[in-house]
Amino acid sequence: MINASLVFIVCIALASSIFTGLNALFRSQISKRNYFLLMQVMISIYLIGHLQKITSSNAEEAFAAVKVMYIGLCFAIPFVLFFTADYFNIKLPLVFIKIPILIQSLAMVLAMWTTKTHRLVYTSYAYSDTMSERLIFAPGQLYSAIYIFSFLYLTATFAMLVYHIKKWKKKYRTKLILLFVSLLAPTISTIVYFASTNSGSNSHYFNVTPHALIITNICLHLVIMRYNIFEIITIATVNAIEYVKEGFVVLDEHDNYLSSNPAAKNMFPTLKKTRRGESIFSIDVLPPELADTKNVSNEFSVQIGCSKYFKASISPVLDKNKIPLAKIILFSDITESVTLLKELENAACRDSLTGLYNRRHFDELAHTSIKRARRMKQASYVGMLDLDFFKNINDTYGHSAGDMVLKTAADILVASMRSYDLAARYGGEEFVFVITDITQSSEARKLLERIRSSIERCVVVYENLEITITCSIGATVLLKTDTLETAIKKADIALYEAKKAGRNCVKMCPYFNQG
Ligand code: GH3
Ligand code: MG
Ligand code: MG
């Protein structure tokens, strides 16, 4: 006689299992659902077998149903394990763990299907109309192995779940607890069934696993529908890319544009108009420097406009065979740190009052400038400029007024020279400079005279007081035998001559004076 209520329960369990599987299939888009779907398929196969068994009318029909049940039973649990590991991003090695587990499961199914020949799973079986399970059997030597392996995999699954339930924040714990309960229900029912049939206390071989599977599917349905077990991570990942302040650009393997996040569009506004598939470097959307680094992770700075700096790190996306599929470029705005670094460099190279190079940095640059001029067969001039009676300015108007005069004199010096000439503050009110690319000595003298007269004509207004100043300049042409140091000494001697000659004048080194 068919037990109608049991058939009803199994049908409900089967329907809920199929429904939950379909829900996962249509509601979520990510790869993490694959093992979940396989798990649901296997649970459904198990239940189909079960239904077949409790409605069977003879031993062979019941045994055929058990063979179907074993397919579901042996494969559902490995897929539960794979799904859980996958969900927590625990990588189970394919060759060393996944494939051996699947082979073991297949071996168990095959052992069951061929048990009539070797009697390792069932030594004998008989049909019983009075029993709900319909089939009485005597277990063979391999029968326990099926359960031992299943419990091993379930233990690993529960271990992962418990570990993460403890680690996850309360807000996300509920769905893990539901997942835990969904697995615990059929586990307990199977343990009870196994123990009770072995001890002989369940002489009717009554199995409540289908009842437990209803609980499983209700829990799974809740974690999918209510707690978004699949979506939450996808949503978080998508949102993370949308909201991070780093620019994120995805290109295909031929540098054609695929997508970018809002931050990248802000950094490179042309990205807003770039269409998918457009070659990113041919239309100058991104700095061309990035095109040179193919298939490598690299980091470098890119200057956009005059004041923005970005660090770009390129990561290739490879497929399983290490063939490039796409390229991800991550841009971070490093303007702040670059500006700070430049300020620090500036502070180390420049005089804070006048903004001119300091002595140490001038020496470095002047050596290079002189070398370059020599290589290009150009004449170089080294000059010293000293403000006249500067001490009097300080004494008469105060130190702040003196500072202002110093700054003005420095500005005039820089303004009078060309961009490739060099000027530095050499001491208190003393400046040094190098002029290159002048062919005639008369031209050099004219330039120096222009500097002197500009300073003489300048009026510095300090607290409504008008301050005027003059300067003396000594200079020398750099001979082949000269070094920067000897040239500075000669310019200093010429400056001394200028002071001696009454100040507010230009004197050039005697070698040159003759000409
Ligand atoms: P001379 O025409 O012979 O060059 O006479 P001078 O007064 O310009 O020369 P002196 O070397 O006697 O004095 C230079 C003065 O420059 C002395 C010092 O107080 C002043 N001085 C040096 N550095 C600074 C500075 O950073 N700010 C101000 N306000 N004064 C400075
Ligand atoms: Mg002076
Ligand atoms: Mg001086």
Side-chain angles (χ1 to χ4, degrees):
M1 218 186 93
I2 290 172
N3 184 339
S5 62
L6 189 59
V7 171
F8 179 72
I9 292 287
V10 177
C11 283
I12 296 283
L14 180 59
S16 65
S17 177
I18 293 170
F19 180 70
T20 308
L22 290 176
N23 238 326
L25 183 66
F26 292 115
R27 269 185 65 93
S28 51
Q29 318 86 359
I30 55 164
S31 63
K32 288 199 193 302
R33 69 177 183 185
N34 290 348
Y35 287 126
F36 183 87
L37 291 176
L38 284 168
M39 170 182 112
Q40 286 306 104
V41 168
M42 291 305 158
I43 291 174
S44 302
I45 290 175
Y46 170 82
L47 287 166
I48 289 169
H50 203 92
L51 192 62
Q52 224 181 317
K53 188 170 79 163
I54 57 175
T55 54
S56 62
S57 53
N58 57 55
E60 284 321 302
E61 258 182 53
F63 181 67
V66 169
K67 289 203 281 195
V68 175
M69 279 173 73
Y70 266 71
I71 299 174
L73 178 72
C74 292
F75 283 103
I77 294 163
F79 289 135
V80 167
L81 173 70
F82 298 169
F83 160 70
T84 315
D86 208 28
Y87 188 68
F88 295 125
N89 284 328
I90 298 166
K91 290 233 174 314
L92 296 180
L94 185 73
V95 178
F96 294 109
I97 295 190
K98 285 185 183 171
I99 290 178
I101 288 178
L102 291 175
I103 291 174
Q104 176 273 317
S105 304
L106 186 67
M108 289 299 163
V109 172
L110 290 176
M112 183 61 200
W113 280 56
T114 55
T115 195
K116 273 190 193 172
T117 53
H118 48 67
R119 302 190 183 279
L120 284 172
V121 185
Y122 282 8
T123 50
S124 63
Y125 59 84
Y127 186 76
S128 162
D129 197 17
T130 53
M131 270 182 23
S132 60
E133 289 293 304
R134 306 276 142 168
L135 205 69
I136 313 168
F137 64 89
Q141 286 159 333
L142 258 185
Y143 177 72
S144 308
I146 292 173
Y147 289 91
I148 289 169
F149 278 115
S150 298
F151 283 112
L152 214 66
Y153 305 150
L154 277 172
T155 308
T157 308
F158 283 122
M160 280 189 268
L161 273 167
V162 170
Y163 176 76
H164 283 91
I165 287 171
K166 276 165 79 180
K167 245 179 68 172
W168 282 23
K169 287 259 180 240
K170 216 175 172 183
K171 196 175 154 199
Y172 293 110
R173 226 179 263 162
T174 322
K175 66 178 177 185
L176 290 194
I177 293 172
L178 277 172
L179 205 58
F180 186 88
V181 173
S182 74
L183 299 178
L184 194 65
T187 308
I188 291 177
S189 74
T190 313
I191 293 172
V192 169
Y193 175 72
F194 192 64
S196 61
T197 49
N198 267 4
S199 67
S201 58
N202 186 1
S203 55
H204 286 282
Y205 284 76
F206 187 71
N207 191 352
V208 287
T209 303
H211 303 67
L213 285 174
I214 295 177
I215 299 173
T216 301
N217 284 309
I218 290 170
C219 292
L220 291 178
H221 182 75
L222 272 176
V223 292
I224 294 172
M225 299 300 285
R226 190 126 182 233
Y227 295 97
N228 284 328
I229 194 161
F230 299 111
E231 280 86 348
I232 198 148
I233 289 174
T234 335
I235 290 167
T237 316
V238 170
N239 285 352
I241 291 167
E242 286 298 298
Y243 291 111
V244 284
K245 62 181 191 322
E246 278 78 20
F248 194 86
V249 180
V250 186
L251 308 178
D252 69 10
E253 76 276 31
H254 304 299
D255 292 336
N256 297 317
Y257 175 73
L258 291 177
S259 73
S260 61
N261 69 348
K265 290 184 179 109
N266 273 342
M267 290 170 178
F268 309 100
T270 29
L271 277 178
K272 289 178 193 161
K273 291 184 215 135
T274 310
R275 282 172 300 142
R276 185 170 280 196
E278 235 172 320
S279 169
I280 206 106
F281 295 116
S282 67
I283 52 169
D284 282 345
V285 178
L286 296 181
E289 293 96 308
L290 297 178
D292 296 340
T293 41
K294 287 232 154 51
N295 304 332
V296 282
S297 291
N298 220 329
E299 291 196 352
F300 45 89
S301 296
V302 180
Q303 194 179 349
I304 311 283
C306 55
S307 55
K308 283 271 172 194
Y309 295 86
F310 296 100
K311 189 173 81 183
S313 70
I314 304 177
S315 312
V317 180
L318 307 174
D319 72 1
K320 279 180 198 154
N321 303 317
K322 305 257 182 278
I323 294 170
L325 286 178
K327 191 194 265 185
I328 294 171
I329 310 181
L330 197 71
F331 291 98
S332 37
D333 191 336
I334 51 163
T335 309
E336 218 170 277
S337 52
V338 170
T339 314
L340 188 71
L341 199 71
K342 286 194 173 228
E343 275 171 17
L344 287 173
E345 274 171 14
N346 235 1
C349 300
R350 290 189 186 265
D351 165 51
S352 60
L353 175 66
T354 60
L356 293 181
Y357 291 127
N358 58 27
R359 198 167 168 161
R360 187 187 58 78
H361 198 61
F362 169 81
D363 284 351
E364 270 175 44
L365 294 179
H367 277 120
T368 320
S369 166
I370 289 166
K371 250 191 225 161
R372 207 187 107 262
R374 277 185 169 147
R375 210 172 45 242
M376 299 177 81
K377 309 232 179 308
Q378 291 170 351
S380 301
Y381 294 84
V382 174
M384 299 281 285
L385 183 155
D386 188 285
L387 299 183
D388 297 331
F389 303 120
F390 185 69
K391 197 170 172 303
N392 291 349
I393 306 267
N394 275 340
D395 293 346
T396 315
Y397 304 100
H399 206 267
S400 302
D403 280 356
M404 204 168 168
V405 170
L406 268 175
K407 172 90 180 86
T408 310
D411 290 347
I412 292 171
L413 180 61
V414 172
S416 312
M417 299 199 313
R418 292 136 329 157
S419 59
Y420 43 86
D421 295 332
L422 291 171
R425 188 175 178 196
Y426 219 56
E429 27 74 89
E430 211 166 271
F431 302 93
V432 64
F433 51 87
V434 171
I435 304 164
T436 52
D437 196 16
I438 281 191
T439 41
Q440 305 265 320
S441 61
S442 54
E443 238 183 281
R445 182 172 279 280
K446 260 190 221 160
L447 175 64
L448 300 176
E449 262 305 325
R450 205 164 54 237
I451 296 169
R452 187 205 58 76
S453 69
S454 299
I455 289 180
E456 187 182 22
R457 277 184 280 115
C458 157
V459 178
V460 177
V461 180
Y462 178 78
E463 290 182 353
N464 294 328
L465 295 168
E466 292 187 346
I467 308 170
T468 53
I469 187 110
T470 60
C471 73
S472 303
I473 298 174
T476 182
V477 69
L478 208 94
L479 299 175
K480 272 186 189 156
T481 49
D482 275 329
T483 60
L484 175 67
E485 290 73 25
T486 60
I488 288 176
K489 254 184 211 150
K490 285 179 186 174
D492 205 26
I493 292 167
L495 174 64
Y496 180 72
E497 289 296 319
K499 292 275 178 188
K500 249 187 11 194
R503 296 175 171 82
N504 192 21
C505 61
V506 175
K507 286 284 172 197
M508 301 205 47
C509 196
Y511 310 107
F512 203 65
N513 251 355
Q514 322 289 310

